Amino acid sequence: MEAKVKLPPLLSDNMVLQQKSNVRIWGKATPNSTVVVTPSWANKEVKTHADEKGCWELQITTPAASFEEYTLTLTDGEQSVTLQHLLIGEVWLCAGQSNMVMPLNGFDYCPISDSNNVIADAPNHPGIRMVTIKPTVKLSPQEYAEGSWQQPTTENAPKFSAAAYHYALTLQRTLQIPIGVITCAWGGSRVEGWLPKEILQTYKDEDLTLIGSDKTPVYLQSMLMYNGILYPCHKYTIKGFIWYQGESNVRSSRTYAERLATMVKHWRSIWKQGDLPFYYVETVPFACEYKEDGYIGALLREAQQKALSLIPNSGMIGTETYEATQVHPHNKKGIGERLAYMSLNKTYGYQGIESEYPSYKSMKINGETIEISFSHAEKGLSPWMNISGFEIAGSDKVFYPAEASLNQKDHTVIVKSPTVKSPVAVRYCFRNFLKGNLINTRNLPVRPFRTDKW
């Protein structure tokens, strides 16, 4: 006999519920019936009534995190459903495009570093639970999306998002509690794909008639990611968002910062949990459109930095250069760890873990040299010689490779070039792909920057 109580796939065995919260539980049942939910951690039933369509929703209070497994029983008086092997811990939603999708198994011709070792180690982490939402094309916001919670094994770990899994590993190592991750990503998607129709209608450059058509690839279409996989997750109580996207917006850096901020504001509004943390990844330097010396990638990274000032309770981790022709860096361990460091510092209060990246602060022209000062470089920068990635220009606005050295007393960088006798501007890694090596004492890379607005 078919069960009367129906739950979305996102509410399944093995799930992690956010600790010390009033978490939402929802689904369908016999119309106008009484739905009773009984969590095994409390000697108290929680009741609600299904409406005339059978839809219902309620909240249950969760205890502090632990590795004790619980159950959750739901009934409408006729049939019961029991969810098993539940954990209470911290839950994060990880979204974005292909770099967030990229599994531990890697992509064709594009492996993940140390993946075999990480996969072999998966059974040692039963306190981590992962769910991957299946991409589904929908023209209107959906109630449910396909994807259920899994405990890591050597068989399922290869399909986990590598960045999200390493994020969970690092969080658990420090917090020492269960970690749940919802991976909600779509390869090639633009930021506009993660926005609802009512917002997209205000953008004059967005042709909504292309949505659902075969005139442009699905992954580049607006709204579909929001409708099919993001919106169905919005009732699940979480701690915050992780975002790894940008490469498909390199031609729209002018609007990216504002639209990313609009996206975050809207997501927070539908989750109804206040200003949830939003931490994201700076796009990796690569030869956009096969041009290393171009600037569209640099302009997008600049827009991502601008977004920091537009999004409350946000942070952006820095990335480093890998391969000019590779938009999918293999070191997802480093990405996941840096995202976790930011969460541990900013959200969980671990002040001994640094998460702020050295950033351009000011410059001073001294004859043939320019002295650059940085924020978040109080303990100095490295290396002290053979620094790469700087360029310098005079009033002709032509940039040349520059020599750079550290002023170890003031923690500044002195930049010069024999070609430029009267410099007026400096850039650092401000190209699609240009290798820089300047880091702080916690190995966090200096953010790309330019002192000009040319």
Short mmCIF file of all heavy atoms in Angstrom, two decimals, residues 30 58 65 232 309 389 433:
data_model
loop_
_atom_site.label_atom_id
_atom_site.label_comp_id
_atom_site.label_asym_id
_atom_site.label_seq_id
_atom_site.Cartn_x
_atom_site.Cartn_y
_atom_site.Cartn_z
N THR A 30 -2.30 12.88 3.52
CA THR A 30 -3.72 12.88 3.20
C THR A 30 -4.29 14.28 3.45
O THR A 30 -4.07 14.85 4.52
CB THR A 30 -4.47 11.86 4.07
OG1 THR A 30 -3.87 10.57 3.88
CG2 THR A 30 -5.94 11.81 3.71
N LEU A 58 6.18 21.99 9.31
CA LEU A 58 6.30 22.29 10.74
C LEU A 58 7.77 22.46 11.09
O LEU A 58 8.65 22.29 10.25
CB LEU A 58 5.64 21.20 11.58
CG LEU A 58 6.04 19.73 11.37
CD1 LEU A 58 7.42 19.41 11.91
CD2 LEU A 58 5.01 18.81 12.01
N ALA A 65 24.99 19.42 18.64
CA ALA A 65 25.56 18.42 17.74
C ALA A 65 26.17 17.26 18.51
O ALA A 65 26.71 17.42 19.61
CB ALA A 65 26.61 19.07 16.85
N PRO A 232 13.97 24.32 -4.64
CA PRO A 232 13.49 23.15 -3.88
C PRO A 232 14.25 22.90 -2.57
O PRO A 232 13.79 22.12 -1.74
CB PRO A 232 13.70 21.99 -4.86
CG PRO A 232 13.71 22.61 -6.20
CD PRO A 232 14.35 23.95 -6.02
N SER A 309 31.95 44.28 -0.76
CA SER A 309 31.42 45.49 -0.10
C SER A 309 29.91 45.61 -0.24
O SER A 309 29.28 46.42 0.45
CB SER A 309 32.09 46.73 -0.69
OG SER A 309 31.76 46.89 -2.07
N GLY A 389 54.77 38.70 -10.96
CA GLY A 389 53.37 39.08 -11.13
C GLY A 389 53.10 40.56 -11.24
O GLY A 389 51.97 40.96 -11.55
N PHE A 433 45.71 35.52 -17.26
CA PHE A 433 46.60 34.54 -16.67
C PHE A 433 47.99 35.15 -16.53
O PHE A 433 48.66 35.45 -17.53
CB PHE A 433 46.67 33.28 -17.53
CG PHE A 433 47.51 32.18 -16.92
CD1 PHE A 433 46.97 31.31 -16.00
CD2 PHE A 433 48.85 32.02 -17.28
CE1 PHE A 433 47.73 30.29 -15.44
CE2 PHE A 433 49.62 31.01 -16.72
CZ PHE A 433 49.06 30.14 -15.80
#
